[in-house]
Amino acid sequence: MLAREKTHMVHVGDVAIGGGAPVVVQSMTNTPTTDVEATLSQVARLRDAGCDVIRVAVPTRKAVAPFGVICAASPIPVIADVHFDHQIAIDAIRHGAAGVRINPGNIGSLERVDRVAEAAGEAGVPIRIGVNAGSLDPEVASRADLDLPERLAASAVGFVAHLEGQGFSDVVVSAKAHDVPTTIKAYELLSREIPQVPLHLGVTEAGTMLQGTVKSAVGLGTLLSEGIGDTLRVSLTADPEQEVRVGWEIISSLGLRRRGPELVSCPTCGRTQVGLIPIAEEVGRALEGIDAPITVAVMGCVVNGPGEASGADIGVACGKGEGVIFRKGKVERTVPEDQIASALLEEIRAGL
Amino acid sequence: MLAREKTHMVHVGDVAIGGGAPVVVQSMTNTPTTDVEATLSQVARLRDAGCDVIRVAVPTRKAVAPFGVICAASPIPVIADVHFDHQIAIDAIRHGAAGVRINPGNIGSLERVDRVAEAAGEAGVPIRIGVNAGSLDPEVASRADLDLPERLAASAVGFVAHLEGQGFSDVVVSAKAHDVPTTIKAYELLSREIPQVPLHLGVTEAGTMLQGTVKSAVGLGTLLSEGIGDTLRVSLTADPEQEVRVGWEIISSLGLRRRGPELVSCPTCGRTQVGLIPIAEEVGRALEGIDAPITVAVMGCVVNGPGEASGADIGVACGKGEGVIFRKGKVERTVPEDQIASALLEEIRAGL
């Protein structure tokens, strides 16, 4: 477990963010909010995939009433995502939002922000101040003395200071850009300038599956490995369930949280004498249905195979046309190639 | 461009590693090395995908002659990957290897390492000292006073010191583990203890496509963003072309090197009023055939859409059933939803 910076703890429904709580995985629905059934069905799928908190866009006043129905029926806390119209944010809070995200760049005057904070304070729900490089407050955006990460940070810090001056400190902050170095630097500035405020990490508009996964993993992984970040949302132009899967892979890779098994499998090379890729893929697919935090090694040759396989809970080290199955370092049995995947799965199930 | 630590420069064939050279992308063939035709065909595909240097396993003495044929015909420099038998390493060098990778944990005595270094020195090719958590030198592996990252680093540093004592300093070092925090810490130690030596980054046995991509991006991205690393190999239990693609995505995401276009595309949400995912995917696939380093934005709504779309070289900001096409911030035209992808591609091609 990496040392993480200690912030205030904020509560979104029954989920704690910051103050030493585990990193919270978020996503956002992409169904029309007015379609309550489709949205709730997506929320249920996202919860099953490991989503802790869900954000739902409330783009119009007409969407507020269905949003309230979604909040009441959702199995996980729901945050309202509101742009332009502060009255929608206030109404969403009154309809049961567990939190509200507003963007200082487009919500209007500080007076309007204060009205939202009043409603949030009355309801006891936090506000996420979500700054975005694509929609910066024009006043900050024009400051030639600051580079983009500094503008992102300055915008967020200004709003936090304003709200704290009004007696409202139940806030989470984000400052997203689609450029990874900009995102990293903006969050590093935030963690120095407002160390008490929980940070919501994200690389925005990161792109389709492969590019978006890599940009998010590099950006969020770098920050988390520095101890920065209390909650995250991976942004992908893909099914939101993939955002949740990638989010979990990022925090699991750093040992910050663990969900289900880990598969240690070697890249193949000219030494491999079995069809390892399909075996690893079959085992990987089967592991998706298992919640236990076991480590499973699928290794193709004698170089690192026996060492890794015996260090795992269950493992196989493959030789020419066969595989040696290990359990906690002890050889269980040797099976021919076409039985490796099934034997490994049998051993995994037997050990649960 | 991030500030990177300055190391000695090493040459693998005509490719420079370290000393301020661009980060070099490597992969490894998984065809039998004795199958020269299949191996060369895979090398050609990997070169087309962006692979700068290729590693080929030489597992037996019988594989040395075909390895020599591969070296002579390969369009990119070839490194021999050798375990256990130092004579194979010597023979591979004499058969034209542009470099050789040996593992201190299994190559045997220091005397044998010295014979390999003599052959490398005569041929003018570098040695990669490739330490691996799964196959540590037993003497180092048993040191209870060190944790695993310290053992990995100590093993590599010891071999570098030994070779430098023998007058051989044409080395690159790696210290890979399948655990990301262990890998990060091991390389941080190496960059402090042997700052002059170019480092080859990798998270080993990272797993299948999604998990392996995330673990590699988090581990290598964190190190590169700290200025550590001169070359990398992403290890995936998948087609090696995917390793090259992910490697490029990692270095591109940090602005260290750029290959082809960047797609900025938003995650969809309840505000999106067009079918954005298929549009972004179609544009993404079309961009794979384009080498120009342009930025293309595909945005789903009015919140960040116009800002991002106008900041890109070519972009679209979508509204209800239509999209506004921008070029360098200037509106070009508005097209109905079913023509967005084709209009965007037309504009991209017109601008090349």
Side-chain angles (χ1 to χ4, degrees):
Chain A
M1 190 88 173
L2 297 167
R4 288 173 53 225
E5 303 201 359
K6 203 70 171 271
T7 65
H8 286 166
M9 188 179 279
V10 161
H11 285 87
V12 178
D14 56 359
V15 175
I17 296 178
V23 176
V24 169
V25 175
Q26 302 195 36
S27 184
M28 192 166 178
T29 53
N30 65 357
T31 48
T33 304
T34 47
D35 188 339
V36 170
E37 200 180 337
T39 303
L40 281 172
S41 152
Q42 188 171 58
V43 170
R45 284 197 304 279
L46 292 169
R47 189 265 324 258
D48 291 347
C51 186
D52 299 307
V53 167
I54 187 69
R55 183 154 50 110
V56 174
V58 191
T60 60
R61 296 194 181 190
K62 216 181 71 186
V64 172
F67 173 79
V69 179
I70 292 162
C71 291
S74 171
I76 51 176
V78 181
I79 293 176
D81 190 73
V82 180
H83 294 270
F84 309 117
D85 184 344
H86 75 292
Q87 190 58 48
I88 294 180
I90 294 167
D91 291 346
I93 291 167
R94 292 182 179 153
H95 278 74
V100 64
R101 179 266 170 127
I102 56 175
N103 179 342
N106 63 31
I107 203 68
S109 64
L110 285 176
E111 288 67 34
R112 289 177 175 185
V113 173
D114 293 344
R115 298 292 85 71
V116 178
E118 277 170 23
E122 281 167 22
V125 304
I127 295 176
R128 171 155 69 94
I129 296 169
V131 175
N132 196 301
S135 51
L136 267 175
D137 185 345
E139 205 170 300
V140 175
S142 62
R143 282 190 58 181
D145 57 323
L146 304 180
D147 64 16
L148 182 54
E150 290 167 339
R151 287 177 204 165
L152 284 160
S155 176
V157 169
F159 273 81
V160 169
H162 172 81
L163 285 175
E164 286 189 343
Q166 304 287 310
F168 188 87
S169 59
D170 196 11
V171 295
V172 173
V173 161
S174 65
K176 303 184 184 182
H178 73 257
D179 176 66
V180 174
T182 300
T183 305
I184 292 172
K185 191 175 168 202
Y187 281 97
E188 287 173 344
L189 290 169
L190 287 175
S191 79
R192 278 202 291 277
E193 293 176 20
I194 45 171
Q196 77 285 9
V197 176
L199 297 179
H200 166 117
L201 305 183
V203 174
T204 193
E205 297 123 18
T208 49
M209 192 65 199
L210 181 67
Q211 178 187 292
T213 295
V214 170
K215 288 176 74 168
S216 298
V218 170
L220 278 48
T222 298
L223 289 164
L224 289 166
S225 77
E226 293 173 359
I228 297 171
D230 303 281
T231 179
L232 61 81
R233 185 235 176 153
V234 170
S235 289
L236 298 175
T237 311
D239 190 301
E241 285 178 65
Q242 301 293 349
E243 300 186 343
V244 175
R245 286 182 69 194
V246 172
W248 272 99
E249 292 289 355
I250 293 171
I251 55 178
S252 302
S253 77
L254 288 166
L256 293 168
R257 255 177 109 178
R258 178 93 181 250
R259 185 181 158 85
E262 181 182 20
L263 178 63
V264 175
S265 65
C266 76
T268 54
C269 75
R271 276 185 298 272
T272 317
Q273 299 186 303
V274 296
L276 197 77
I277 296 178
I279 294 172
E281 282 173 352
E282 186 180 344
V283 172
R285 276 191 302 273
L287 291 180
E288 284 176 16
I290 292 172
D291 285 335
I294 52 171
T295 299
V296 177
V298 178
M299 303 292 294
C301 86
V302 294
V303 173
N304 299 305
E308 290 287 0
S310 65
D313 293 305
I314 310 276
V316 62
C318 301
K320 188 166 183 173
E322 61 178 28
V324 180
I325 311 280
F326 291 81
R327 174 188 292 278
K328 302 261 183 207
K330 200 177 134 286
V331 174
E332 290 275 319
R333 51 184 167 138
T334 300
V335 297
E337 176 170 359
D338 62 354
Q339 291 168 34
I340 290 173
S342 58
L344 208 50
L345 295 173
E346 258 171 46
E347 293 291 336
I348 291 165
R349 278 188 284 261
L352 291 177
Chain B
M1 190 87 173
L2 297 168
R4 288 171 54 224
E5 302 201 1
K6 204 69 171 274
T7 64
H8 286 166
M9 187 179 280
V10 162
H11 285 87
V12 178
D14 57 359
V15 176
I17 295 178
V23 177
V24 169
V25 175
Q26 303 195 36
S27 184
M28 192 167 179
T29 53
N30 64 357
T31 49
T33 303
T34 47
D35 187 339
V36 170
E37 199 180 336
T39 303
L40 282 171
S41 152
Q42 189 172 58
V43 171
R45 284 197 304 279
L46 292 169
R47 190 265 325 260
D48 291 346
C51 186
D52 299 306
V53 167
I54 187 68
R55 183 154 50 110
V56 174
V58 192
T60 60
R61 295 192 181 190
K62 215 181 72 186
V64 172
F67 174 79
V69 179
I70 293 164
C71 290
S74 171
I76 51 176
V78 181
I79 293 177
D81 190 73
V82 180
H83 294 270
F84 308 117
D85 184 345
H86 75 293
Q87 190 57 48
I88 294 180
I90 294 167
D91 291 346
I93 291 167
R94 292 182 179 154
H95 278 73
V100 63
R101 179 264 170 128
I102 56 175
N103 180 341
N106 64 30
I107 204 66
S109 64
L110 285 175
E111 288 68 34
R112 291 177 174 186
V113 173
D114 292 343
R115 298 291 85 73
V116 178
E118 276 169 25
E122 280 166 22
V125 304
I127 295 176
R128 170 155 70 94
I129 296 168
V131 175
N132 195 300
S135 51
L136 268 175
D137 186 346
E139 205 171 301
V140 175
S142 63
R143 283 189 58 180
D145 57 321
L146 304 179
D147 64 16
L148 182 54
E150 289 167 340
R151 288 178 204 165
L152 285 161
S155 175
V157 169
F159 273 80
V160 168
H162 171 81
L163 285 174
E164 286 190 343
Q166 304 287 311
F168 188 87
S169 58
D170 196 11
V171 295
V172 174
V173 161
S174 65
K176 303 184 185 182
H178 73 257
D179 176 68
V180 174
T182 300
T183 305
I184 292 172
K185 193 176 165 202
Y187 281 98
E188 287 173 344
L189 290 169
L190 288 175
S191 79
R192 278 202 292 276
E193 292 177 20
I194 45 171
Q196 78 284 9
V197 177
L199 297 179
H200 166 116
L201 304 183
V203 173
T204 192
E205 297 122 18
T208 49
M209 192 66 199
L210 180 67
Q211 178 187 294
T213 297
V214 170
K215 287 177 75 168
S216 298
V218 170
L220 278 48
T222 298
L223 289 164
L224 289 165
S225 77
E226 293 173 0
I228 297 171
D230 303 281
T231 179
L232 62 81
R233 183 233 177 156
V234 170
S235 290
L236 298 175
T237 310
D239 190 301
E241 285 177 66
Q242 300 293 347
E243 300 186 344
V244 175
R245 286 182 69 194
V246 172
W248 272 99
E249 291 289 355
I250 293 171
I251 55 179
S252 303
S253 76
L254 287 166
L256 293 168
R257 257 178 107 178
R258 179 94 181 250
R259 183 180 159 86
E262 180 182 22
L263 177 63
V264 175
S265 65
C266 77
T268 53
C269 74
R271 276 185 298 272
T272 317
Q273 297 187 304
V274 297
L276 197 76
I277 295 177
I279 294 173
E281 283 173 352
E282 186 179 344
V283 172
R285 276 192 302 273
L287 291 179
E288 284 174 17
I290 293 173
D291 284 336
I294 53 172
T295 298
V296 178
V298 178
M299 304 293 293
C301 86
V302 294
V303 173
N304 299 305
E308 291 286 0
S310 65
D313 293 305
I314 310 276
V316 61
C318 301
K320 187 167 183 173
E322 61 179 31
V324 180
I325 310 281
F326 291 81
R327 175 188 292 278
K328 302 258 183 209
K330 199 177 135 287
V331 174
E332 290 276 318
R333 51 185 167 137
T334 299
V335 298
E337 176 170 359
D338 62 354
Q339 292 169 33
I340 290 173
S342 58
L344 209 50
L345 294 173
E346 258 171 45
E347 293 290 337
I348 291 166
R349 278 188 284 260
L352 289 178

